[in-house]
Amino acid sequence: MAAKYREFQQLNLPAIETEILAKWTEHQAFEQSVSLREGATPFVFYEGPPSANGMPGIHHVISRTLKDLVCRYKTMQGFQVKRKGGWDTHGLPIELGVEKELGITKEDIGKTISVEAYNQKCREAVLRFKDKWDDITRKMGYWVDLNDPYITFKNEYIETLWWCLKRLHQKGLLYKSVSIQPYSPAAGTGLSSHELNQPGTYKDVKDTSVVAMFKAISTAQSAFLFEAAQMGSTLDAEVFYLAWTTTPWTLPSNLGLTVGPNIDYVLVKTFNPYTHLPVNVVLAQNLLGKYFKPEGENGDFAAYTAETKILPWTILTSFRGKALEGLRYEQLLPYEASTAEKSGGDPFRILLDTFVTTEDGTGIVHTAPAFGADDYKVGRKYGIGILTLVDREGKFVDGLGEFSNRFVKNYKDDPNYVDVNVDISVKLKKENRAFKVEKYEHSYPHCWRTDKPVLYYPLDAWFIKTTAIKDRMVELNKTINWKPKATGEGRFGNWLENMVDWNLSRSRYWGTPLPIWRTTDGNEEKCIGSIEELNTEIRRASEVLGGDINTHYLHDGILDLHKPYVDDVVLVSESGKPMYREPDLIDVWFDSGAMPYAQWGLDYEKLKAGDERPFKAPFDTNYPADFIAEGVDQTRGWFYTLHALGALLYDSVAYKTVVSNGLVLDKNGNKMSKRLGNVVDPFKTIETFGADATRWYLITNASPWDSLKFDLEGIREVQRKFFGTLYNTYQFLALYANVDGFAFKEAAIPLDQRPEIDRWILSSLNTLIKEVTAAFDDYEPTQAGRLVEDFVDEHLSNWYVRLCRRRFWKGDYSADKISAYQTLYECLETISRLIAPVSPFFADWLFGNLNGVTQRFTEGSVHHVLYPTADAAKIDPALEERMQLAQDASSLVLGLRKKVNIKVRQPLQRILIPVLDPVTKAQLLKVEDLVKSEVNVKEIQYLTDADGFIKKKIKANFQALGKRLGGKMKAVSAAIGNFSQADISRLEKEGSYSLEIDSEPLILQIHEVEITSEDIPGWMVSSKGSLTVALDVTVTPELEQEGNARELVNRIQKIRKDNGYDLTDRIQVKLGEAGSLAESIRQFGPYIKEEVLADELEMVDHLADGMPIEVNEKAIKVWVDKSSRA
RNA sequence: AGAUCCGUAGCUCAGCCUGGUUAGAGCACUACACUGAUAAUGUAGGGGUCACCAGUUCAAAUCUGGUCGGGUCUACCA
């Protein structure tokens, strides 16, 4: 017996997926999809490593769907796509997790728990949820190689990172410097930005803020200020710059004042409200209102006394910030520890920078390079040096007079603590150096462990000099295909433009150690690039330095490149001095950014040979990546570090195309968070709705880069609308193909021998292939998915199958029937291949069901066959156009029927279609039969102009006319609106028409207007676009009888079905008490018999056991039974 | 604070690049129809200040500038 198509009770996507998953596992379908393409052009994909110490969420499903579908698509296009998985295993989140679990803090590490034991814990925690990740990977159908993933904590991986660092070191791109970092004096440690982002670290606090007065020095350049001041006063004028701070303790370390180059500043004559001395002050114009009352402007200076409430003030001059650049001022708080010499630069000058705002303060920023990142940056730019007058405990250093050794904040919980900030303010007030002192409430970061305010403090750190190749990185970025484009140009482009050097240092424990050893004086250093190199150096140091040096590592060499082991190692410098490792770890982002190299590890042969790229195969054919994809939050993370390292190491991009997907929000548009309890469990979602429906929904609902409002209702819709329809279409084919034994054994019927509708759906199908391929090639899977959806729903199911249903169940196994089968089969088979990248399970299931019978492909899985290619010969635009006409015409007629309440089963005589041009008529003629049967009408008549029935409508063609006429459009449009039928005819006949607009002649061309038929007087009409149809609604007695017959057929069919007969069962029918229906039955008897597969149709006078039914409100009795004949 | 994306029907989204005169789908809702795909399907209907303001233009959902609201990233600094 021939193989049968599988038939099902109902669509059950999760069940299908379980079945397909088992098949994939059994046949190693993924491995095969790679090995089958051995020798083919590689398509290179990099997997961004997830961290397996947390559970996977639904947002992981979207980015992985994206990655998966591209890789599957490219595989089907004939490329070999290797997909090495990876795990990100270092970093703070892991450490914090372990600390929490053990109930310890960072200080305990090395004290209550050894670094060795701690790191062991981290190592165990790292892959805690690996099983869950593997599970979701499998269930969501993500094909990635999990058997041999790269793992960032492995020695081989770290070794490669070291090699990369060494290369940077050799290029002089690795340097040690201070940077301003958040620092907790109470805890004695720097804080990462991640730690600063812990909830609750930013608190509203009230600090003593002071507007300090920095005394200007008179020079040739600042003369304009002093001259202006002089004019307003007979006294020897003093000029002060006002600068605001909420951290007065930074004032002794002040070395500069920063102003905005384009901010407007004013010089104001007034009095110091504390000392009541006359002063001239500089501040931003916008901020005058903060310090001066409007009523005081140009007030009575002479009458001013200490009791005067309202300060008199007057503007002496104004100027841009630019004018102040380089001007000098007197140091505010000079002490022996804070001399210009100690600063190491040329301090006490006015600087320009754009970070200055006029939101608050004075528009002049007090700049202490040691205690602010912006301060540091601008300070460096101008070379004003640096003074760090606070030590790591948070107290002032010696040599600051009365402030020496006082804590700048109450870090020790001293009950007798006196706020040094207040004392500084008081001192300034007394010295005529404070303009305003007040408590100021603002949000300030606190250490999440000690609850004490954080300082920004200069700390030693290692940097990669990314700024050295900034221009090159910008240039290389321009060659990268960003999806969406704006992310690459905007977010990423700006980021590159404003790049700073990459701070590599992390003072933590679990991570890649910096492979740099230094002598204590810092004069000699060594960067180690491989395990072997380290072992050699270990032995050398032992020999040179002797003693106990490195004894543990002499025998087997170093076995683990992590802390604490590497810290034990002492190396020896060229001059014979001991060298110790720089204690920092490196930023985890370096780990992932170097994955193109480290995922393969070092090839020691190549290394020995001095290869520039000493990485194991298949690195050479797998760099750079053709494609990567991650969430948009990685723009400045992974996307950046990959790019930076590619450019730094090899002057190359690391990836050619990058897709950044947006965030997944909940259905109300809120971010998903555990706290809000609105997270979607990907396991549950996939179990309930199936991975395919989930994937399809994620991809088609919104462009990947738009943020997605995740709504389970949307998945349900996809399931019903798309997969349900496709499933039904397959069921339909299976049902009849099994009856007829269709297995695509016959030769394919040539296209020109197939009916119009078959050629049409095949034309549409090939158009679809073309468009879907273009969309995928452009990394627009959303477009691709929506195109397929439209085709399946609109074209295949709602038009082709609906119109062709009869062809499948009616009549013999004829050429026409075979053509229908072949056509529908080809559509389904092609769709299974088109959707395979997005919905891999259902596609393979559908493909398997079809191919299992026909064996048209030898491949066992849709993922091993090639992607369909469009056959241009099958595409016929005119055909697609006229089918659209047919659909529109049918829709119009059905609409008209509806209006007059004549059901479709009632045949009608004719419709009229006015045609104004012969092409449309020719097009309509070819689809006439389809329209007639769809709307159950006997004939179509075409009305041409000559008939004189048509009433026409004319409208200006704005697009064509607008260009030519411009301003006259309105008048012309109105004139055209007034055209009579005769005017229209004349225009049509002569091809042009003379108008007069604003007393100027104007020739109107025929192509500059649109003429449509609007009405046929006396008929029911309806139109859409340029198509108009009229319906003859007269039901003649003949038509009514035919309608009755069709209605009766319908009733008998229903009885057949209710009785559960097979499709092919023959029946016998008896009709009784036919009454007025008798004539219909007599006349259409043969038709009725054929339709209901009746061998006998008999009318009797009395039918005792007949079932009473109604046919068009006329009663009749029917008796149906299976025919006795076989 | 800066950068960026988004704002069109009750909901999810097209259309915007390339301006053109009835602004479209699907879901949901209502009514009707169909009934050999039937837990399917068709037709029709209601539903829109295209976030707001200004500009450019004969013409703006579409181009320009700004405002407001939402998301994200980067900062959080005087």
Side-chain angles (χ1 to χ4, degrees):
Chain A
M1 182 182 145
K4 293 261 184 188
Y5 296 95
R6 297 168 67 197
E7 295 181 47
F8 301 84
Q9 286 306 307
Q10 62 175 52
L11 176 63
N12 183 342
L13 283 175
I16 286 173
E17 290 169 13
T18 310
E19 175 192 322
I20 296 295
L21 216 41
K23 193 187 102 180
W24 285 351
T25 310
E26 189 193 335
H27 295 105
Q28 298 198 299
F30 168 52
E31 289 76 3
Q32 267 200 57
S33 79
V34 178
S35 60
L36 279 171
R37 298 282 188 272
E38 202 60 67
T41 312
F43 178 84
V44 184
F45 163 74
Y46 293 158
E47 164 77 339
S51 177
N53 78 319
M55 285 283 277
I58 195 78
H59 54 287
H60 295 110
V61 176
I62 184 172
S63 59
R64 303 177 117 214
T65 299
L66 205 53
K67 298 180 203 179
D68 188 55
L69 74 88
V70 170
C71 291
R72 284 182 193 265
Y73 172 68
K74 291 292 176 182
T75 299
M76 289 180 75
Q77 285 209 315
F79 295 95
Q80 185 181 42
V81 190
K82 292 184 173 161
R83 293 158 244 185
K84 193 178 174 77
W87 299 107
D88 195 13
T89 58
H90 283 147
L92 200 61
I94 291 153
E95 289 203 45
L96 293 180
V98 168
E99 283 179 20
K100 198 172 162 196
E101 190 184 330
L102 299 178
I104 60 171
T105 67
K106 189 183 173 189
E107 286 83 78
D108 293 311
I109 305 164
K111 292 176 193 151
T112 62
I113 180 170
S114 72
V115 173
E116 191 172 13
Y118 175 79
N119 271 358
Q120 185 53 39
K121 282 284 175 195
C122 288
R123 186 185 290 257
E124 287 161 13
V126 141
L127 295 175
R128 177 170 303 152
F129 293 106
K130 182 174 177 295
D131 288 350
K132 288 284 179 194
W133 277 86
D134 286 351
D135 196 35
I136 200 78
T137 302
R138 241 174 67 83
K139 284 185 177 149
M140 69 166 285
Y142 181 34
W143 275 2
V144 63
D145 182 2
L146 293 175
N147 295 325
D148 181 29
Y150 63 92
I151 298 174
T152 57
F153 72 63
K154 289 267 177 87
N155 273 352
E156 307 82 74
Y157 197 93
I158 294 174
E159 183 185 25
T160 319
L161 301 180
W162 282 11
W163 187 90
C164 294
L165 285 165
K166 182 171 180 178
R167 187 172 163 93
L168 297 179
H169 190 256
Q170 281 168 342
K171 289 186 166 194
L173 294 170
L174 209 52
Y175 69 94
K176 188 179 191 178
S177 171
V178 273
S179 81
I180 310 302
Q181 295 165 33
Y183 175 80
S184 169
T189 175
L191 298 174
S192 67
S193 59
H194 186 272
E195 286 171 298
L196 222 50
N197 280 325
Q198 296 279 324
T201 49
Y202 280 87
K203 293 183 195 182
D204 284 337
V205 289
K206 272 192 177 172
D207 279 328
T208 301
S209 75
V210 51
V211 176
M213 298 161 65
F214 292 82
K215 189 170 180 218
I217 294 174
S218 177
T219 63
Q221 207 198 337
S222 64
F224 75 99
L225 287 174
F226 287 90
E227 279 160 19
Q230 219 89 52
M231 289 200 304
S233 163
T234 50
L235 296 165
D236 194 17
E238 288 186 316
V239 173
F240 296 94
Y241 304 110
L242 297 186
W244 179 63
T245 180
T246 55
T247 51
W249 59 266
T250 59
L251 287 170
S253 304
N254 171 280
L255 295 172
L257 294 172
T258 309
V259 298
N262 295 316
I263 296 174
D264 289 314
Y265 292 88
V266 288
L267 177 68
V268 175
K269 175 185 167 184
T270 185
F271 293 93
N272 181 316
Y274 301 114
T275 61
H276 314 296
L277 296 168
V279 292
N280 301 291
V281 296
V282 176
L283 73 162
Q285 183 158 25
N286 287 349
L287 291 159
L288 273 172
K290 262 186 137 68
Y291 304 96
F292 302 105
K293 296 216 160 70
E295 5 356 339
E297 183 164 18
N298 301 319
D300 188 349
F301 281 72
Y304 178 78
T305 68
E307 276 68 46
T308 309
K309 286 267 159 62
I310 293 171
L311 274 182
W313 60 282
T314 186
I315 296 177
L316 298 174
T317 181
S318 68
F319 41 88
R320 284 291 174 93
K322 269 183 273 201
L324 299 173
E325 184 173 22
L327 299 190
R328 291 177 184 276
Y329 61 87
E330 285 180 12
Q331 185 176 12
L332 189 69
L333 294 163
Y335 291 99
E336 53 185 298
S338 61
T339 59
E341 290 72 42
K342 295 226 159 117
S343 80
D346 179 13
F348 313 128
R349 286 184 291 148
I350 295 192
L351 325 172
L352 296 187
D353 205 295
T354 50
F355 73 80
V356 180
T357 67
T358 53
E359 292 295 307
D360 43 26
T362 62
I364 303 177
V365 176
H366 143 60
T367 304
F371 303 118
D374 284 334
D375 304 42
Y376 184 77
K377 206 174 75 193
V378 67
R380 261 174 74 104
K381 195 167 81 187
Y382 282 94
I384 58 173
I386 185 166
L387 280 174
T388 310
L389 302 178
V390 175
D391 67 15
R392 291 202 175 200
E393 286 181 79
K395 64 180 192 327
F396 278 121
V397 297
D398 286 334
L400 286 175
E402 67 267 43
F403 303 122
S404 299
N405 297 309
R406 288 180 61 179
F407 283 95
V408 303
K409 296 273 166 168
N410 189 8
Y411 288 116
K412 298 288 178 192
D413 284 326
D414 179 355
N416 301 317
Y417 178 76
V418 178
D419 190 348
V420 75
N421 295 292
V422 174
D423 288 353
I424 292 173
S425 305
V426 169
K427 180 181 165 79
L428 294 177
K429 269 188 190 174
K430 284 183 185 153
E431 294 179 349
N432 193 31
R433 287 293 181 274
F435 195 76
K436 190 172 190 179
V437 176
E438 64 181 357
K439 289 282 185 187
Y440 179 78
E441 185 167 347
H442 62 150
S443 141
Y444 196 83
H446 289 67
C447 171
W448 61 287
R449 280 200 302 269
T450 62
D451 263 354
K452 295 290 179 203
V454 157
L455 306 184
Y456 287 84
Y457 199 87
L459 295 173
D460 270 339
W462 284 86
F463 290 86
I464 297 178
K465 208 176 201 154
T466 45
T467 49
I469 59 155
K470 174 180 133 180
D471 294 343
R472 184 62 185 147
M473 281 175 71
V474 169
E475 214 173 291
L476 284 168
N477 181 44
K478 288 181 181 150
T479 69
I480 296 173
N481 178 26
W482 278 85
K483 298 300 286 191
K485 211 167 184 236
T487 302
E489 287 172 357
R491 187 182 282 202
F492 195 66
N494 289 333
W495 172 250
L496 292 180
E497 291 292 345
N498 299 319
M499 173 196 302
V500 294
D501 282 345
W502 181 355
N503 182 351
L504 265 189
S505 290
R506 296 292 182 271
S507 357
R508 297 292 315 192
Y509 297 91
W510 177 242
T512 301
L514 195 63
I516 295 175
W517 274 260
R518 274 191 155 194
T519 53
T520 31
D521 59 15
N523 287 333
E524 293 174 86
E525 70 185 37
K526 224 170 229 171
C527 185
I528 299 297
S530 73
I531 294 174
E532 192 184 324
E533 184 184 352
L534 180 59
N535 284 330
T536 308
E537 290 291 335
I538 284 173
R539 284 190 294 274
R540 210 168 71 84
S542 169
E543 283 159 21
V544 175
L545 299 171
D548 284 344
I549 297 288
N550 301 339
T551 44
H552 293 307
Y553 304 104
L554 289 174
H555 194 260
D556 296 325
I558 192 148
L559 298 176
D560 183 346
L561 301 184
H562 282 99
K563 273 168 151 315
Y565 314 108
V566 282
D567 292 337
D568 295 347
V569 170
V570 179
L571 301 185
V572 65
S573 74
E574 298 306 317
S575 65
K577 289 184 198 149
M579 301 172 92
Y580 304 95
R581 197 184 74 79
E582 288 291 291
D584 290 337
L585 301 182
I586 63 168
D587 185 6
V588 273
W589 289 108
F590 191 97
D591 286 14
S592 51
M595 64 69 65
Y597 326 98
Q599 67 173 332
W600 310 114
L602 289 178
D603 180 321
Y604 298 124
E605 294 301 317
K606 285 184 178 174
L607 189 63
K608 248 178 231 150
D611 194 322
E612 288 257 289
R613 304 176 176 210
F615 313 111
K616 283 189 194 142
F619 174 83
D620 293 335
T621 52
N622 276 265
Y623 185 82
D626 288 301
F627 162 74
I628 60 170
E630 297 293 332
V632 68
D633 51 330
Q634 294 295 336
T635 305
R636 284 151 187 191
W638 195 51
F639 295 159
Y640 174 67
T641 56
L642 274 177
H643 186 63
L645 287 174
L648 288 163
L649 293 168
Y650 296 112
D651 190 36
S652 164
V653 294
Y655 45 87
K656 295 178 187 164
T657 291
V658 50
V659 179
S660 71
N661 61 272
L663 273 275
V664 182
L665 310 170
D666 77 1
K667 65 176 173 183
N668 299 318
N670 299 313
K671 195 176 174 174
M672 289 187 186
S673 76
K674 278 188 191 141
R675 192 170 53 80
L676 294 172
N678 59 350
V679 286
V680 172
D681 178 359
F683 293 95
K684 233 166 89 185
T685 306
I686 287 177
E687 269 163 37
T688 313
F689 301 101
D692 277 350
T694 307
R695 288 170 61 125
W696 195 271
Y697 166 73
L698 289 172
I699 292 303
T700 57
N701 188 64
S703 275
W705 32 88
D706 288 338
S707 55
L708 173 83
K709 288 183 192 165
F710 189 89
D711 188 357
L712 293 176
E713 207 45 55
I715 304 184
R716 225 168 263 140
E717 189 180 321
V718 161
Q719 207 180 27
R720 267 203 320 268
K721 185 98 187 110
F722 179 65
F723 290 102
T725 305
L726 193 49
Y727 161 83
N728 268 332
T729 308
Y730 166 76
Q731 272 291 89
F732 178 84
L733 175 82
L735 187 64
Y736 296 110
N738 282 341
V739 170
D740 284 322
F742 170 77
F744 223 121
K745 294 293 174 248
E746 302 80 8
I749 295 176
L751 202 59
D752 56 12
Q753 291 172 29
R754 297 195 195 193
E756 182 92 349
I757 194 160
D758 288 5
R759 294 206 312 277
W760 165 74
I761 193 75
L762 291 173
S763 173
S764 301
L765 181 71
N766 280 279
T767 302
L768 177 73
I769 295 171
K770 202 169 80 182
E771 289 172 349
V772 166
T773 306
F776 272 131
D777 283 342
D778 197 22
Y779 295 92
E780 295 275 0
T782 308
Q783 303 292 334
R786 287 175 177 173
L787 285 165
V788 177
E789 261 175 11
D790 285 350
F791 177 85
V792 167
D793 190 47
E794 291 295 315
H795 289 159
L796 190 62
S797 172
N798 287 350
W799 192 250
Y800 182 78
V801 172
R802 202 155 53 80
L803 262 60
C804 292
R805 281 191 311 218
R806 268 179 96 78
R807 295 171 66 200
F808 290 89
W809 53 265
K810 190 90 201 299
D812 303 328
Y813 193 58
S814 62
D816 177 70
K817 203 176 211 187
I818 294 170
S819 176
Y821 278 128
Q822 289 186 344
T823 304
L824 181 57
Y825 184 98
E826 187 179 337
C827 287
L828 285 170
E829 184 191 82
T830 304
I831 285 166
S832 79
R833 292 157 71 197
L834 286 175
I835 64 173
V838 181
S839 54
F841 296 104
F842 186 84
D844 213 11
W845 174 85
L846 178 59
F847 178 83
N849 289 345
L850 295 170
N851 204 51
V853 176
T854 63
Q855 304 290 332
R856 275 159 54 89
F857 287 90
T858 51
E859 288 90 342
S861 165
V862 73
H863 303 289
H864 300 161
V865 306
L866 290 176
Y867 210 67
T869 49
D871 181 352
K874 287 185 178 159
I875 297 177
D876 181 348
L879 172 57
E880 293 187 36
E881 187 191 293
R882 65 177 168 265
M883 194 57 76
Q884 188 59 51
L885 273 178
Q887 291 178 344
D888 290 344
S890 303
S891 156
L892 290 173
V893 174
L894 292 171
L896 287 171
R897 274 181 172 275
K898 155 95 185 142
K899 248 181 218 149
V900 292
N901 252 322
I902 299 176
K903 57 175 81 174
V904 180
R905 220 180 291 117
Q906 174 60 56
L908 289 173
Q909 190 53 42
R910 59 177 177 157
I911 54 182
L912 300 185
I913 302 182
V915 282
L916 301 180
D917 69 297
V919 180
T920 310
K921 182 173 177 181
Q923 287 279 68
L924 279 166
L925 274 171
K926 287 185 181 161
V927 290
E928 199 180 274
D929 290 341
L930 290 173
V931 176
K932 285 194 295 196
S933 75
E934 177 65 7
V935 302
N936 198 13
V937 164
K938 303 274 178 203
E939 57 178 318
I940 299 180
Q941 284 180 5
Y942 300 93
L943 285 184
T944 57
D945 242 355
D947 304 322
F949 285 118
I950 310 168
K951 191 177 163 205
K952 288 176 189 163
K953 193 166 85 175
I954 186 162
K955 198 173 74 176
N957 179 345
F958 281 81
Q959 201 155 10
L961 267 176
K963 287 206 176 69
R964 181 155 80 92
L965 298 181
K968 290 182 194 155
M969 268 312 286
K970 277 202 174 117
V972 174
S973 167
I976 292 172
N978 288 329
F979 270 33
S980 67
Q981 293 292 314
D983 292 332
I984 297 174
S985 305
R986 212 173 95 207
L987 174 56
E988 282 183 312
K989 213 167 290 166
E990 294 170 11
S992 65
Y993 192 99
S994 298
L995 282 174
E996 192 163 303
I997 301 296
D998 298 340
S999 341
E1000 278 180 47
L1002 189 124
I1003 310 285
L1004 195 61
Q1005 300 295 323
I1006 183 83
H1007 65 267
E1008 289 172 331
V1009 295
E1010 284 167 26
I1011 298 171
T1012 49
S1013 58
E1014 186 188 33
D1015 205 5
I1016 304 166
W1019 287 70
M1020 292 272 311
V1021 299
S1022 177
S1023 41
K1024 178 182 176 186
S1026 62
L1027 181 69
T1028 302
V1029 298
L1031 180 64
D1032 183 347
V1033 295
T1034 319
V1035 181
T1036 62
E1038 292 78 34
L1039 289 172
E1040 189 183 348
Q1041 280 174 8
E1042 187 179 344
N1044 288 340
R1046 291 181 72 138
E1047 188 74 15
L1048 182 60
V1049 166
N1050 165 252
R1051 296 300 134 119
I1052 296 172
Q1053 297 287 32
K1054 191 164 160 49
I1055 294 168
R1056 278 186 64 115
K1057 190 157 189 195
D1058 291 345
N1059 289 359
Y1061 296 168
D1062 277 348
L1063 288 167
T1064 47
D1065 286 340
R1066 309 289 304 181
I1067 56 170
Q1068 44 182 327
V1069 180
K1070 283 182 186 158
L1071 298 164
E1073 287 111 277
S1076 60
L1077 292 171
E1079 182 52 30
S1080 294
I1081 297 165
R1082 247 190 303 281
Q1083 203 181 327
F1084 291 96
Y1087 163 78
I1088 297 169
K1089 281 170 72 177
E1090 197 189 339
E1091 287 299 308
V1092 302
L1093 301 184
D1095 291 319
E1096 286 171 43
L1097 177 72
E1098 196 183 341
M1099 273 203 277
V1100 294
D1101 286 343
H1102 296 285
L1103 199 54
D1105 48 357
M1107 184 196 298
I1109 58 168
E1110 268 191 9
V1111 170
N1112 289 334
E1113 284 119 42
K1114 300 179 214 9
I1116 189 170
K1117 279 189 173 180
V1118 189
W1119 175 89
V1120 175
D1121 195 9
K1122 276 199 201 180
S1123 184
S1124 47
R1125 283 189 257 161

